[in-house]
Amino acid sequence: MIVTLIVLCEIAFWVLLAGGLTLRYVAKKPRLGGVVLLCEPLLEVILLVVTAVDLKNGAVPDWKHGLAAVYIGFTVGLGHSTIRWVDARVAHRFAGGPPPVKPPKYGMARAVHEWGVAGRWTLAAVTALALLQGAVWYVRGDGDVTSLRSWQQTMLFVIGINLVIAASYTVFPKRSPERERDTKRALGPPG
């Protein structure tokens, strides 16, 4: 039942997103579109409540309960940026909005962008970690929480990977082709 609800929440996320943006840009009802988009967090509240009730009714905590916590965490950390990303493209395509801003490709500007991405992923993983820990405490000693602990380890791995990626852009910033040419020219021919 939990997996089905997660799938339904994901489908509902995209349906609400499409509906909200359609109301905002096609039907020219931006306030109503905004109200529909604000309904998105209700999906996670429903999933959280159903998962808690399932555990309270004696369900053995397993990978499905962990997946629910991870789904909620990722929606908290990445949902808003996903909505903004889609909104910018729909506004440009259907409402004459400006072209979406592309992330910088080079130098410290790219490093700053990557730290922002890492921050969103870290927020998602930390939220999932907190929900998973809450589930562990909620179950207390009444069940095997190995699968929940496994999800926690996965979330720590997600944080680590994102921090390594962001740090690599900081320590080894990618140079623009023009700057690379200028550096080679300044060094002169090998010899």
Side-chain angles (χ1 to χ4, degrees), residues 126-142:
V126 166
T127 303
L129 279 165
L131 289 171
L132 290 161
Q133 187 60 45
V136 167
W137 290 334
Y138 188 66
V139 171
R140 289 182 235 145
D142 298 339

Side-chain angles (χ1 to χ4, degrees), residues 9-177:
C9 283
E10 182 66 12
I11 292 168
F13 173 86
W14 291 104
V15 168
L16 284 173
L17 181 57
L21 294 177
T22 299
L23 286 169
R24 180 179 276 182
Y25 296 113
V26 177
K28 306 288 187 216
K29 297 187 182 280
R31 285 188 183 186
L32 184 57
V35 168
V36 170
L37 292 174
L38 286 173
C39 291
E40 299 273 0
L42 293 176
L43 299 170
E44 283 64 46
V45 170
I46 291 168
L47 181 58
L48 180 63
V49 168
V50 169
T51 303
V53 167
D54 191 43
L55 289 170
K56 185 68 173 171
N57 288 338
V60 176
D62 63 9
W63 67 271
K64 295 175 285 224
H65 299 97
L67 181 62
V70 169
Y71 178 81
I72 293 168
F74 278 52
T75 302
V76 167
L78 303 171
H80 183 69
S81 62
T82 301
I83 291 170
R84 271 194 335 229
W85 186 88
V86 173
D87 184 51
R89 279 142 186 82
V90 170
H92 174 65
R93 174 124 177 144
F94 297 108
V101 177
K102 294 184 179 184
K105 292 183 179 181
Y106 309 107
M108 276 299 143
R110 180 59 187 228
V112 168
H113 170 76
E114 291 299 329
W115 280 107
V117 171
R120 289 189 293 277
W121 279 91
T122 299
L123 173 62
V126 166
T127 303
L129 279 165
L131 289 171
L132 290 161
Q133 187 60 45
V136 167
W137 290 334
Y138 188 66
V139 171
R140 289 182 235 145
D142 298 339
D144 181 17
V145 293
T146 307
S147 64
L148 300 177
R149 295 288 187 207
S150 175
W151 277 110
Q152 286 180 316
Q153 290 173 349
T154 302
M155 293 302 96
L156 291 172
F157 182 73
V158 166
I159 291 169
I161 289 293
N162 278 279
L163 294 178
V164 166
I165 290 170
S168 73
Y169 276 94
T170 303
V171 176
F172 307 108
K174 187 174 178 185
R175 293 183 183 186
S176 68

